[in-house]
Amino acid sequence: MLHSIAVEAAAKILHSLDDLWEEDNSQAGFDPLPPLAPHEKKTSPPKHICSTSTPCPIHLSDVGKCYHSFPKGTFKARFSLPILPKFVLKHYAANPPVWTWSIKDGPNKGKSFQVPTIPVASSKLAPKAVQWIAVVFHSFKAHLSPIAIDTETGRVHQAWLHLYQNNMYIHLQAQLKVSCKVSTQHSSPPPPIKGNTSVPVDGPSPFSNIIAELRAKIALLCEKLYNLAVSHKACCLFHSNPPPSPPLGVIPKEGSTHPTPSPPPLPFLLLKASQNGIAPDPHPPSWLTTALSIEDIPSAFKGTLYSPSSVTLSTPLPQGTISTIKLAFEGSTPFYLGVLPRGFLEVAPMADRSLVAKAYRFPPDSTIPMARQK
């Protein structure tokens, strides 16, 4: 009882003291404290949102700064940027891909600026890395739908081309950063082992020589494979092997001959109908022999076949086609090769995608069938 009375008396005293404090402040001319201002949040600039219908315009000063997505309907088949090989990264680490832009008029006449870019074409004398990047562009072009290609010139519209070069340049820079981090990690020496001075820290690993030899062999094999693909030697089937020379130090006997090994049998036989009947095709086009010489080609394309009756691409493949493959030669529009009953071959500019068994890519070939001029 006494405790509650004491608490009430203390509360009344504190309340009266607060009234006296406010009355004194008002008489002395003190203004009441203003309310605290709300905390102002810093607003970040809005993020860029790419349009789904038109490609984003990219200026020379904006190349490589922001990744832009392609509009809907750009690709007729899924396309993704590939992982760049080491020889490509090594080349562009020493030679950044730039385009020199010179001003011809105005107050800055004669000045030149370097703009980052990605090459989309190359000559046969260009470095191997530049040729590889150009092949990637042709693969990108083969996946584009008609909205991104000019029907009159057959070239990619500039808006899509600039978008591809911008994204490919950002992809290249990201790959270079990753390769630099990996190389620095491998080049940094291992931390010293504390408490055990008998273990050699800087000594070579017992497997370092083996790993170095394997890497050298892999690099040599990659170089040979690339040279074969570029020179088209892998597709040449109509040649005979030279006779083997006798071993060193062995003198052949008089009258002895070294038999010339016969070339391996072809997995197909091309026939052609003529006025005298059906006979082997004496001069089949090189693109056809190249395609039919693939090891993993469907079985319907092996055995006795008849060369295509037409060399132009005009009509789609007829119904009843047994098997269909898609052929894409570098620098040309892809087309389709089908096998009809009894082994007749036909070419067409289009085919049912659900019936296409496989798709193949080849180096350029001047003998491929062309579309019929309207």
Side-chain angles (χ1 to χ4, degrees):
M1 185 66 177
L2 294 175
H3 178 71
S4 60
I5 294 173
V7 171
E8 291 178 0
K12 290 180 180 180
I13 293 171
L14 292 175
H15 184 68
S16 61
L17 289 174
D18 291 337
D19 295 339
L20 291 173
W21 173 259
E22 292 179 359
E23 185 178 355
D24 293 339
N25 287 341
S26 62
Q27 293 177 359
F30 294 136
D31 296 330
L33 294 175
L36 296 176
H39 180 68
E40 297 181 357
K41 296 182 179 179
K42 294 182 179 180
T43 57
S44 59
K47 293 184 178 180
H48 173 75
I49 300 177
C50 298
S51 173
T52 58
S53 57
T54 57
C56 300
I58 300 177
H59 303 285
L60 293 178
S61 58
D62 298 332
V63 176
K65 293 183 179 180
C66 177
Y67 188 90
H68 298 272
S69 59
F70 287 93
K72 289 184 178 180
T74 296
F75 300 103
K76 58 186 178 182
R78 186 174 181 181
F79 175 80
S80 59
L81 297 176
I83 298 177
L84 305 181
K86 288 185 178 180
F87 74 92
V88 176
L89 296 175
K90 184 177 180 181
H91 173 81
Y92 284 109
N95 307 282
V98 292
W99 170 57
T100 303
W101 181 51
S102 301
I103 300 178
K104 297 182 179 180
D105 297 321
N108 296 324
K109 181 180 179 180
K111 292 186 178 181
S112 299
F113 302 90
Q114 288 187 341
V115 181
T117 185
I118 290 294
V120 296
S122 64
S123 63
K124 294 183 179 180
L125 301 178
K128 184 173 64 173
V130 177
Q131 296 184 29
W132 193 91
I133 290 291
V135 171
V136 174
F137 170 73
H138 289 293
S139 175
F140 160 79
K141 182 180 178 181
H143 288 74
L144 290 177
S145 59
I147 64 172
I149 299 177
D150 191 346
T151 56
E152 296 181 357
T153 62
R155 297 182 178 181
V156 181
H157 287 297
Q158 283 194 357
W160 275 270
L161 178 63
H162 294 168
L163 197 61
Y164 163 79
Q165 289 179 314
N166 175 79
N167 293 352
M168 187 64 184
Y169 181 81
I170 295 176
H171 179 68
L172 172 62
Q173 295 299 320
Q175 294 280 312
L176 287 174
K177 290 181 181 178
V178 173
S179 63
C180 290
K181 290 182 180 179
V182 173
S183 61
T184 53
Q185 290 177 1
H186 287 296
S187 61
S188 59
I193 302 175
K194 297 181 179 180
N196 187 6
T197 57
S198 60
V199 179
V201 177
D202 298 332
S205 172
F207 302 102
S208 59
N209 295 333
I210 299 176
I211 294 174
E213 292 179 0
L214 291 176
R215 287 180 177 176
K217 290 181 180 179
I218 292 174
L220 183 60
L221 290 175
C222 292
E223 184 73 19
K224 289 183 177 179
L225 180 61
Y226 176 82
N227 292 333
L228 285 174
V230 172
S231 62
H232 219 178
K233 290 182 179 179
C235 303
C236 298
L237 299 175
F238 302 96
H239 68 281
S240 58
N241 296 326
S245 57
L248 296 176
V250 178
I251 300 175
K253 298 180 180 179
E254 295 181 0
S256 63
T257 59
H258 294 275
T260 303
S262 59
L266 300 177
F268 58 89
L269 175 62
L270 284 175
L271 302 179
K272 187 175 183 180
S274 61
Q275 297 179 354
N276 298 329
I278 298 175
D281 191 350
H283 303 290
S286 61
W287 71 264
L288 182 59
T289 57
T290 299
L292 296 178
S293 303
I294 305 173
E295 293 183 359
D296 61 341
I297 197 171
S299 58
F301 291 89
K302 298 180 181 180
T304 303
L305 303 171
Y306 291 86
S307 298
S309 57
S310 176
V311 294
T312 58
L313 303 174
S314 56
T315 58
L317 292 175
Q319 295 183 355
T321 304
I322 300 175
S323 182
T324 306
I325 57 175
K326 182 180 179 181
L327 306 178
F329 288 82
E330 182 183 340
S332 304
T333 305
F335 60 95
Y336 299 87
L337 178 65
V339 178
L340 304 180
R342 298 177 60 186
F344 287 93
L345 299 175
E346 289 294 339
V347 293
M350 59 185 68
D352 189 355
R353 293 185 179 179
S354 60
L355 301 179
V356 177
K358 290 186 178 181
Y360 304 95
R361 295 188 61 83
F362 303 96
D365 196 316
S366 60
T367 63
I368 60 174
M370 305 298 293
R372 178 176 294 178
Q373 300 293 334
K374 295 182 180 181

